[in-house]
């Protein structure tokens, strides 16, 4: 079944602008995440995982592995991806 709607031109233009803006924001966010290094600072790791810093610490307590060398903490993108896959239902 095909449904057709007549939409006023100004509404159509507004919807197109909103869709364009949403797409542009999504591409910008994807570019930011992809520009991060392989080994992330904790704040970067939270950004990559799309979670808050508090949630990141909860994930660490739940088994997300952190590499600590001379007091410097880093988490790899691969580890974050593994952690998500391991907890996927």
């Amino acid at each position: 079944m095909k449904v057709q709607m007549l939409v006023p031109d100004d509404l159509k233009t507004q919807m197109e602008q909103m869709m364009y803006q949403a797409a542009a924001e999504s591409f910008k966010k994807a570019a930011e995440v992809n520009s991060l290094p392989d080994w992330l600072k904790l704040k970067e790791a939270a950004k990559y995982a799309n979670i808050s810093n508090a949630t990141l610490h909860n994930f660490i307590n739940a088994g997300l592995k952190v590499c600590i060398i001379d007091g410097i903490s880093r988490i790899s993108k691969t580890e974050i991806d593994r952690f998500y896959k391991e907890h996927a239902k």
Side-chain angles (χ1 to χ4, degrees):
M1 173 193 274
K2 187 175 181 179
V3 177
Q4 291 184 330
M5 287 179 43
L6 294 175
V7 179
D9 286 341
D10 59 332
L11 179 59
K12 179 182 174 188
T13 300
Q14 187 178 17
M15 290 173 59
E16 288 172 347
Q17 289 172 346
M18 289 172 57
M19 291 170 58
Y20 177 82
Q21 182 179 359
E25 289 173 9
S26 294
F27 283 117
K28 181 181 177 183
K29 186 173 183 178
E32 288 173 3
V33 167
N34 288 328
S35 70
L36 293 170
D38 289 336
W39 286 91
L40 307 166
K41 297 175 184 177
L42 297 185
K43 187 174 181 180
E44 293 170 329
K47 183 175 184 177
Y48 177 79
N50 196 27
I51 56 176
S52 69
N53 291 334
T55 300
L56 178 66
H57 289 286
N58 290 339
F59 283 10
I60 292 168
N61 291 335
L64 179 65
K65 296 176 185 171
V66 180
C67 179
I68 303 172
I69 302 171
D70 291 333
I72 298 171
S73 299
R74 296 290 186 267
I75 302 174
S76 73
K77 289 179 180 178
T78 304
E79 172 59 16
I80 294 169
D81 295 340
R82 180 207 61 81
F83 185 80
Y84 270 124
K85 287 176 187 173
E86 182 179 291
H87 289 84
K89 294 182 180 182

